[in-house]
């Protein structure tokens, strides 16, 4: 009888641990209300804990538990979750239950390339990706210049036409593709190039996905942000970068938490605020040192440093 009871207790304990991520006990506290001191939303890009190899549902629970308002997952993680039998509808319900939103997602469709066949395949990939994002309640997806990264002669007028085609596809799927800046790209690495493509697309849904690190890496001056209507920026990737290595050799892996580097963070936040930005600041890091740490610690530290940077920029450092 004792052996039977021990076995039952073991089974119960194992089931409890297995369901820990999905348990109501892990539900996040009530979402933070916007204020003058913190007028932006806080989003968690899951690349920040990529090294911990969490499944999509674990990423969702982590984001909520750490106190973020939203999550920005990678499409490949959504696909992997579905491929392993994960229920996207159920996960969408859990996301809603936790009180967070899916503000954006990271995809890599070849929508911009010159090759007609590759571009057609890229648009098919984009449609598939959009459907996955929509399945978990998302409304936007990143649209970086994948496939043209090493191309120096990309015709930006044609790029604008292709972005318009992608926007039309997004309109059909009810997912908005955000033209993303990549500082290491040889085609769309500077703010002016990004703005050109967005403007010349001539589409009402055109918008830009900016990033502190990528603006620096691409060589643009942050002063250029003053010329951007920030109402056309719904998600802004935030991070910081050290003084060394220099711009020429700095990489994604060198990104650090906000306030731990030399980026003019206050100036950036003040500028986009004055220009109308009230969207999500999404923490996107690829620092391998963070990947070796506890995921919740990394996420919580990232949010704390984001909030501190915002309060400092808004002139209310130290207030709660």
């Amino acid at each position: 009888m004792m052996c039977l009871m021990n076995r039952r207790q073991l089974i119960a304990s194992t089931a409890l641990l297995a369901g820990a991520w999905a348990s109501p006990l892990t539900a996040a506290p009530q979402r933070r209300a916007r204020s003058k001191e913190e007028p932006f939303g806080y989003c968690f890009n899951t690349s920040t804990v990529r090294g911990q190899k969490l499944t999509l549902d674990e990423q969702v629970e982590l984001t909520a538990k750490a106190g973020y308002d939203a999550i920005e997952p990678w499409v490949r993680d959504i696909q992997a979750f579905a491929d392993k039998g994960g229920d996207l509808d159920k996960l969408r319900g859990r996301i809603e239950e936790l009180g967070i939103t899916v503000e954006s997602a990271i995809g890599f469709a070849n929508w911009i390339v010159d090759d007609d066949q590759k571009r057609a395949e890229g648009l098919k990939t984009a449609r598939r990706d959009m459907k996955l994002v929509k399945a978990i309640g998302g409304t936007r997806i990143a649209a970086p210049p994948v496939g043209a990264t090493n191309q120096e002669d990309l015709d930006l007028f044609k790029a604008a036409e292709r972005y318009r085609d992608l926007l039309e596809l997004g309109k059909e799927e009810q997912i908005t593709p955000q033209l993303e800046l990549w500082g290491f790209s040889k085609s769309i690495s500077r703010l002016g190039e990004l703005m050109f493509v967005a403007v010349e697309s001539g589409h009402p849904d055109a918008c830009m996905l900016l990033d502190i690190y990528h603006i620096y890496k691409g060589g643009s001056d942050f002063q250029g942000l003053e010329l951007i209507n920030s109402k056309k920026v719904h998600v802004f990737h935030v991070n910081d970068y050290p003084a060394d290595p220099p711009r020429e050799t700095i990489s994604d892996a060198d990104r650090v938490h906000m306030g731990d580097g030399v980026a003019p963070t206050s100036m950036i936040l003040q500028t986009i605020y004055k220009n109308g930005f009230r969207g999500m600041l999404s923490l996107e890091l690829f620092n391998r040192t963070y990947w070796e740490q506890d995921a919740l610690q990394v996420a919580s530290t990232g949010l704390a440093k984001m909030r501190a940077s915002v309060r400092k920029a808004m002139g209310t450092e130290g207030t709660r």
Side-chain angles (χ1 to χ4, degrees), residues 36-68:
K36 291 182 179 179
E37 293 80 13
E38 297 180 71
F40 314 120
Y42 298 112
C43 183
F44 187 64
N45 184 301
T46 56
S47 67
T48 304
V49 290
R50 179 189 295 175
Q52 287 83 342
K53 301 185 184 304
L54 303 179
T55 57
L56 180 62
D57 52 336
E58 290 173 337
Q59 293 170 5
V60 166
E61 300 289 339
L62 172 70
T63 299
K65 189 172 183 180
Y68 287 85

Side-chain angles (χ1 to χ4, degrees), residues 40 191 210-216 220-226 228 230 236-241 258 262-277 281 309-310 313-314:
F40 314 120
L191 284 175
L210 303 178
D211 185 302
I212 292 176
Y213 162 79
H214 279 299
I215 295 173
Y216 170 71
S220 290
D221 194 301
F222 288 105
Q223 202 68 38
L225 289 170
E226 290 193 354
I228 294 177
S230 293
F236 198 118
H237 286 167
V238 294
N239 36 63
D240 210 329
Y241 52 83
M258 294 188 78
V262 297
T265 306
S266 289
M267 174 268 192
I268 294 168
L269 295 175
Q270 290 166 2
T271 300
I272 62 176
Y273 175 79
K274 291 177 183 177
N275 283 3
F277 180 76
L281 301 178
S309 294
V310 170
M314 297 295 105

Side-chain angles (χ1 to χ4, degrees), residues 3-316:
C3 292
L4 182 59
M5 287 300 294
N6 288 341
R7 183 172 180 274
R8 287 175 177 172
Q9 290 171 355
L10 177 61
I11 292 173
S13 298
T14 302
L16 179 61
L17 288 172
W21 282 104
S23 168
L25 294 175
T26 64
Q30 187 175 2
R31 296 297 100 192
R32 177 193 57 84
R34 300 286 184 94
S35 65
K36 291 182 179 179
E37 293 80 13
E38 297 180 71
F40 314 120
Y42 298 112
C43 183
F44 187 64
N45 184 301
T46 56
S47 67
T48 304
V49 290
R50 179 189 295 175
Q52 287 83 342
K53 301 185 184 304
L54 303 179
T55 57
L56 180 62
D57 52 336
E58 290 173 337
Q59 293 170 5
V60 166
E61 300 289 339
L62 172 70
T63 299
K65 189 172 183 180
Y68 287 85
D69 303 303
I71 187 172
E72 185 177 28
W74 286 49
V75 169
R76 63 188 178 201
D77 289 339
I78 304 176
Q79 185 68 65
F81 179 77
D83 289 344
K84 292 181 180 180
D87 188 326
L88 296 181
D89 287 337
K90 185 175 180 180
L91 182 61
R92 177 175 182 167
R94 179 59 178 160
I95 290 171
E96 294 173 353
E97 179 184 9
L98 290 169
I100 61 175
T101 56
V102 181
E103 288 295 320
S104 179
I106 305 300
F108 299 98
N110 288 316
W111 61 274
I112 200 172
V113 296
D114 286 336
D115 186 280
D116 291 342
Q117 183 175 348
K118 289 183 179 179
R119 194 168 63 255
E121 289 299 320
L123 289 175
K124 289 181 181 178
T125 298
R127 186 184 294 277
R128 181 207 66 193
D129 292 351
M130 289 176 181
K131 289 182 182 298
L132 287 170
V133 174
K134 185 178 180 181
I136 61 171
T139 55
R140 303 182 190 91
I141 192 169
V146 178
T149 303
N150 295 316
Q151 183 178 348
E152 297 181 349
D153 62 346
L154 179 67
D155 185 328
L156 294 186
F157 280 105
K158 290 183 178 179
E161 293 175 3
R162 293 163 190 170
Y163 180 45
R164 182 181 180 85
D165 291 340
L166 186 65
L167 286 162
E168 283 296 302
L169 176 63
K171 192 173 182 179
E172 293 176 16
E173 298 296 335
Q174 298 179 307
I175 297 291
T176 303
Q178 307 158 101
L179 187 64
E180 184 175 14
L181 182 72
W182 270 5
F184 55 81
S185 172
K186 295 179 181 178
S187 53
I188 302 180
S189 62
R190 303 183 71 94
L191 284 175
E193 294 166 334
L194 191 79
M195 291 175 66
F196 182 94
V197 174
V199 169
E200 291 300 328
S201 72
H203 199 285
D205 296 335
C207 56
M208 294 170 284
L209 179 56
L210 303 178
D211 185 302
I212 292 176
Y213 162 79
H214 279 299
I215 295 173
Y216 170 71
K217 176 66 177 177
S220 290
D221 194 301
F222 288 105
Q223 202 68 38
L225 289 170
E226 290 193 354
L227 298 174
I228 294 177
N229 176 3
S230 293
K231 292 180 180 179
K232 286 294 185 178
V233 179
H234 309 296
V235 177
F236 198 118
H237 286 167
V238 294
N239 36 63
D240 210 329
Y241 52 83
D244 187 62
R247 187 198 309 266
E248 293 73 22
T249 57
I250 198 169
S251 68
D252 283 330
D254 295 309
R255 302 187 196 191
V256 293
H257 286 300
M258 294 188 78
D260 289 353
V262 297
T265 306
S266 289
M267 174 268 192
I268 294 168
L269 295 175
Q270 290 166 2
T271 300
I272 62 176
Y273 175 79
K274 291 177 183 177
N275 283 3
F277 180 76
R278 298 295 185 274
M280 289 284 173
L281 301 178
S282 185
L283 180 67
E284 186 183 53
L285 304 172
F286 297 85
N287 194 304
R288 286 166 174 75
T289 300
Y290 301 157
W291 289 354
E292 296 174 357
Q293 299 173 10
D294 176 74
L296 182 58
Q297 177 186 343
V298 173
S300 299
T301 299
L303 179 57
K305 288 181 178 290
M306 289 170 72
R307 296 187 66 185
S309 294
V310 170
R311 291 196 298 268
K312 180 179 179 180
M314 297 295 105
T316 54

